[in-house]
Structures are given as C-alpha cells and as structure tokens.
Amino acid sequence: MRILITAGPTREALDPVRYLSIRSSGRMGYALADAAVAGGHEVVLVSGPVSLPPVAGAEVVSVESARAMYEAVRDRLPGCAIAIFCAAVADYRPRNPADQKIKKIDGIMTLELERTEDILGSARSVFGFRGFLVGFAAETNEGRIHAREKLRRKGCDLLVSNDVSRPGTGFEALENEVCLHYADGREESLPRAVKTILAEEILRRIEALLPRHDDHGTALS
Ligand code: C5P
C-alpha cells in the first residue's frame, strides 16, 4: 500500500537567520517510515528539518515550513491508502517575516503571530482524503479527553497520544509510551518501548484494521 507519513518539526521564519520551531527529533515518524518500508509498503515521508539519516527505500520530501509541508501533503496524498501525521507542526508563524536580519532593540520586542495551516485537519475536509487517517497528539494533561475530541474533530481513524510531561519519553527521546484511541471508542495503552518497536506495533494494528489487498492493490475478500 502507499503510505504518507509526516515527521519532524517545522520552522517558521522570523527573518533570514531566525525561526520559531518545536522540540521534535522526528524519530517517531522516521521509525514508522522504516517499519512501513520493511513491511513492503510504498512510503512517502514528508519531513521537516531533522538530523536523522534518510529512510532507505522511501521517497523523502524535505520541507521547512508548515505551509511547505501542507503543500507537499496536498500534492502527494492522492493515491495513498494510509496517512500518518506524526510531524510537530508549529501552530503559529510570524505574520510579517523580515527580509533582513532584525536589529536588536533595548527593552521588549513584540512579535505578531498568525495561525499556520492545520494539515491533519485539512486531510478529510480540504484534500478529500478517504483512506485510513492517523493523527498524533502530544499532551501534557488530560490526555484522554483531548485525544478523543481531536480524533473526532479531525476525522481520524486512530489517534496516538503520548504524555510529553513524563521524563524520558516523547519529544526528542528514544523511547515513548503511547495510548491508541480508535474511532470506535476502543483504547489501548502500549507499554513504554523504544520508538522503533512502537512503530512496528502501531503499523501492525493499522494493517489489521484495513481490508487486505493483493500485489496489484485489488481488495481481497
Ligand atoms: O492539535 P495538535 O497540534 O495537537 O494536533 C497534533 C496532530 O495534528 C499531529 O498528528 C500533527 O502532525 C497534526 N498537525 C498538523 N498540522 C498542524 C498541527 C498539527 O498536521 N498545523
């Protein structure tokens, strides 16, 4: 199957040398892409800036900003059976990025920010995606309630939440501890593990929920 995965942070330019970004190593998304390639899938990895080796066997599309990630996803989503949005997309960008490096001033500087595109939230409503949609949610409190609400609002089939307030898991860590929230109301906690193992577990569950296809993409009964 053709699978699109977003990974890593986005960078939102403030001027030619500064940007706003999010703490994210991209490891979870890259581990999912590795697992999907190993499982024989055709993988498109839309990646923000990370310091990880590219995923062998995947088509890697490198982007910087949320807008560029939005456009890359929009252009590549058609034909995908599964889309996994794992990227830590900045929610805001500077409203008027400067052409020149902004000079220091004494005292307080105020930045005006505007919302970026909601890529996951656009998958169904704007891009018309009909495949299996997976979102991620990094929560620091009340994870369960927020996760269920996000799953519904963004039209996901599965939402993977993790509590980033715990030491040693989540953003930038090698390990993670996640809870899977399914559209039918089921919930499943996966024990803490390295992201490569979790990626395989998550992918196996997604595959089990999809109709089986033969080598030509034809659905098998
Ligand atoms: O709302 P929140 O940012 O917590 O949602 C997280 C999920 O939405 C992740 O799957 C992330 O990749 C995706 N997302 C997105 N575009 C945004 C913000 C988040 O695709 N602008």
Side-chain angles (χ1 to χ4, degrees):
M1 283 183 280
R2 191 170 163 82
I3 305 185
L4 183 141
I5 299 170
T6 70
T10 66
R11 286 181 182 168
E12 310 303 326
L14 183 55
D15 69 17
V17 298
R18 303 184 180 96
Y19 55 79
L20 298 179
S21 192
I22 301 196
R23 285 185 197 285
S24 167
S25 65
R27 278 198 194 96
M28 193 66 228
Y30 273 58
L32 282 161
D34 269 328
V37 170
H41 299 289
E42 194 183 319
V43 179
V44 183
L45 176 61
V46 180
S47 175
V50 297
S51 332
L52 296 171
V55 175
E59 180 196 344
V60 182
V61 184
S62 298
V63 297
E64 281 226 356
S65 64
R67 183 177 285 137
M69 186 173 279
Y70 176 89
E71 289 169 1
V73 169
R74 180 196 59 202
D75 295 348
R76 288 166 181 81
L77 209 45
C80 291
I82 303 171
I84 306 177
F85 290 79
C86 200
V89 184
D91 290 318
Y92 295 92
R93 68 177 148 241
R95 197 151 98 99
N96 296 305
D99 296 338
Q100 309 282 324
K101 186 178 171 192
I102 299 169
K103 296 268 176 280
K104 277 194 279 296
I105 53 166
D106 288 332
I108 290 169
M109 175 184 285
T110 304
L111 281 178
E112 214 177 1
L113 305 176
E114 64 181 15
R115 290 296 300 266
T116 55
E117 295 76 11
D118 181 355
I119 309 169
L120 175 60
S122 304
R124 298 266 190 241
S125 59
V126 183
F127 307 150
F129 180 64
R130 308 265 304 269
F132 196 90
L133 185 61
V134 184
F136 272 70
E139 305 287 355
T140 49
N141 58 359
E142 306 223 37
R144 197 172 155 271
I145 296 160
H146 284 155
R148 290 237 72 86
E149 193 276 321
K150 195 168 292 177
L151 173 109
R152 197 188 44 73
R153 183 163 39 87
K154 304 207 176 184
C156 297
D157 296 296
L158 170 66
L159 196 114
V160 183
S161 72
N162 60 312
D163 183 347
V164 292
S165 61
R166 290 189 212 182
T169 64
F171 288 154
E172 295 182 322
L174 289 175
E175 294 191 338
N176 215 353
E177 187 175 335
V178 301
C179 182
L180 308 186
H181 308 262
Y182 296 94
D184 65 4
R186 258 184 326 126
E187 271 169 29
E188 183 184 13
S189 293
L190 299 185
R192 181 170 170 162
V194 288
K195 289 177 178 173
T196 47
I197 299 288
L198 280 178
E200 288 166 12
E201 294 289 330
I202 293 168
L203 198 64
R204 193 173 310 151
R205 283 163 176 78
I206 296 170
E207 286 168 342
L209 287 169
L210 284 168
R212 291 189 306 128
H213 289 74
D214 67 15
D215 291 344
H216 309 289
T218 312
L220 300 173
S221 56

